[in-house]
């Protein structure tokens, strides 16, 4: 493993012009240390609790609870027939109070608020804790809990993860490591995204031998309050919350789970391709791979370069005017499956 590249004194210009074009993970040290929420956390857990309580509109947020025996790793049960945690709803401050109540209990439940929209539960959070690296359209999401482990998974959006309180350890894997990460089922996941079945902290290399290759290529970082981690879209990330109380705020953009994008994801195309190509012979798979490489991934350059320009002056594989008919046809094809 290698450490994620660190950057200091990052502002919006350096992030957008120097860091983002690299499409590599980046640790932005103390990029949000100035936030009042971070300053409260640096004072004490109680100070952070009171700060959050003053912003809390008492809306209930999604909360997960896991038995102490899970070690806080939110994943499947032993035979992958279900999950090893349950879901409830509660106001954010109530979860905070419960975390403080059980902080010193040796066999406490593992509790986590996950992906709670700040504009729904802390509507004034962005006003006082503005993200300096993105435009105001990016919506912050709240993650609050004790010692929780989120297995390696990927999102189809870019991500800025900002630690407010506690410590978090991130282990990242490039998208090309997918075969070495042993993903679980695609249609049944702990939180919507495919997850690795490998316990990154205690990998069973007899059962998952190729994970050793992924681990050699992994990048890691430990974040303190005020630190920000940039995770490029489709990078797998394993996240450990290391303290009895941890809070993180993240921002997604440029993907189906982000607020600035279409809810339609290329992942939908992957699932559709799996269904339609599952009975194709090995020889035909190679032929389809060549077609996908040419038209979808532009392995040979622009596949429309030889076509005459359309009315709008652009070359395209199909006319934009026919897009509604194409979508209607695809919808009918899906109904036939």
């Amino acid at each position: 493993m290698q450490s994620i590249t660190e950057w200091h004194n990052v502002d919006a210009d350096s992030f957008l012009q120097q860091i983002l074009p690299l499409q590599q993970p980046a640790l932005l040290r103390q990029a949000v240390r100035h936030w009042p929420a971070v300053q409260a956390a640096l004072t004490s857990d109680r100070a952070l609790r009171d700060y959050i309580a003053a912003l809390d509109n008492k809306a209930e947020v999604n909360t997960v609870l896991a038995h102490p025996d899970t070690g806080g790793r939110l994943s499947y049960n032993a035979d992958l027939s279900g999950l090893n945690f349950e879901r409830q709803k509660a106001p954010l401050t109530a979860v905070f109070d419960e975390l403080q109540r059980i902080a010193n209990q040796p066999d406490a439940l593992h509790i986590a608020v996950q992906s709670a929209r700040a504009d729904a539960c802390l509507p004034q959070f962005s006003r006082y804790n503005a993200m300096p690296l993105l435009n105001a359209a990016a919506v912050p999401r709240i993650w609050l809990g004790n010692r929780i482990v989120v297995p390696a998974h990927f999102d189809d959006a870019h991500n800025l993860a900002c630690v407010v309180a506690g410590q978090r350890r991130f282990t990242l894997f490039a998208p090309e490591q997918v075969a070495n990460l042993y993903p679980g089922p695609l249609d049944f996941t702990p939180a919507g995204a495919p997850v690795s079945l490998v316990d990154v902290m205690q990998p069973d290399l007899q059962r998952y031998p190729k994970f050793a290759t992924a681990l050699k290529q992994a990048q890691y970082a430990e974040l303190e309050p005020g630190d920000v981690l940039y995770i490029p879209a489709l990078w797998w990330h394993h996240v450990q919350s290391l303290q009895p109380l941890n809070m993180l705020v993240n921002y997604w953009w440029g993907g189906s789970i982000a607020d600035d994008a279409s809810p339609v994801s290329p992942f939908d195309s992957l699932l559709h391709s799996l269904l339609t190509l599952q009975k194709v012979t090995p020889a035909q798979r190679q032929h389809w791979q060549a077609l996908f490489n040419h038209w979808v991934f532009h392995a040979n350059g622009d596949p429309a370069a030889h076509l005459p320009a359309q009315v709008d002056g652009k070359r395209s594989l199909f006319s934009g005017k026919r897009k509604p008919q194409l979508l209607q046809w695809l919808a009918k094809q899906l109904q036939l499956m």
Side-chain angles (χ1 to χ4, degrees), residues 11 48 84 93 107 119 150 161 186-188 195 197 199-200 211 222 229 243 250 255 265 284 286 295 310 315:
D11 57 16
L48 177 60
N84 68 350
T93 303
D107 295 321
D119 57 358
V150 178
L186 298 182
D187 61 336
F188 172 51
V195 303
L197 298 180
D199 185 343
V200 172
F211 180 71
E222 288 194 6
L229 181 63
Q243 299 298 324
N250 93 297
S265 168
Q284 289 176 323
Q286 289 186 339
W295 273 308
Q310 304 292 342
R315 291 177 172 82

Side-chain angles (χ1 to χ4, degrees), residues 81-260:
S81 62
L83 303 175
N84 68 350
F85 59 88
E86 62 179 82
R87 293 185 172 94
Q88 294 185 4
K89 286 182 176 291
L92 195 63
T93 303
V95 177
F96 208 120
D97 289 342
E98 180 63 12
L99 289 170
Q100 288 195 303
R101 187 186 71 81
I102 66 174
N104 297 318
Q105 295 181 9
D107 295 321
L109 283 174
H110 298 279
I111 301 175
V113 170
Q114 295 190 304
S115 192
R117 289 178 61 107
D119 57 358
C121 60
L122 305 177
Q124 296 298 313
F125 183 88
S126 292
R127 177 181 177 183
Y128 302 111
N129 301 269
M131 165 44 64
L133 308 180
L134 301 174
N135 63 50
V139 176
R141 294 172 183 264
I142 308 297
W143 306 70
L144 174 71
N146 48 15
R147 291 186 173 94
I148 293 292
V149 179
V150 178
H153 64 286
F154 68 84
D155 303 314
D156 72 347
H158 297 286
N159 188 0
L160 280 182
C162 314
V163 170
V164 172
Q167 295 175 307
R168 267 179 165 81
R169 180 182 176 91
F170 286 80
T171 306
L172 272 57
F173 305 90
E176 294 77 12
Q177 294 297 323
V178 57
N180 300 322
L181 294 174
Y182 300 89
L186 298 182
D187 61 336
F188 172 51
T189 67
V195 303
S196 171
L197 298 180
V198 184
D199 185 343
V200 172
M201 294 153 48
Q202 295 179 316
D204 183 346
L205 296 181
Q206 288 189 332
R207 187 175 183 181
Y208 306 115
K210 292 190 293 185
F211 180 71
T213 299
L215 201 56
K216 290 179 182 178
Q217 302 296 321
Q219 300 185 36
Y220 74 94
E222 288 194 6
L223 276 66
E224 304 285 341
D227 291 339
V228 176
L229 181 63
Y230 166 58
I231 306 174
L234 302 180
W235 274 69
W236 295 75
H237 45 290
H238 174 273
V239 189
Q240 299 166 251
S241 300
L242 303 176
Q243 299 298 324
L245 190 142
N246 307 271
M247 180 175 171
L248 178 140
V249 174
N250 93 297
Y251 300 81
W252 281 311
W253 76 98
S256 66
I257 58 176
D259 295 276
D260 66 340

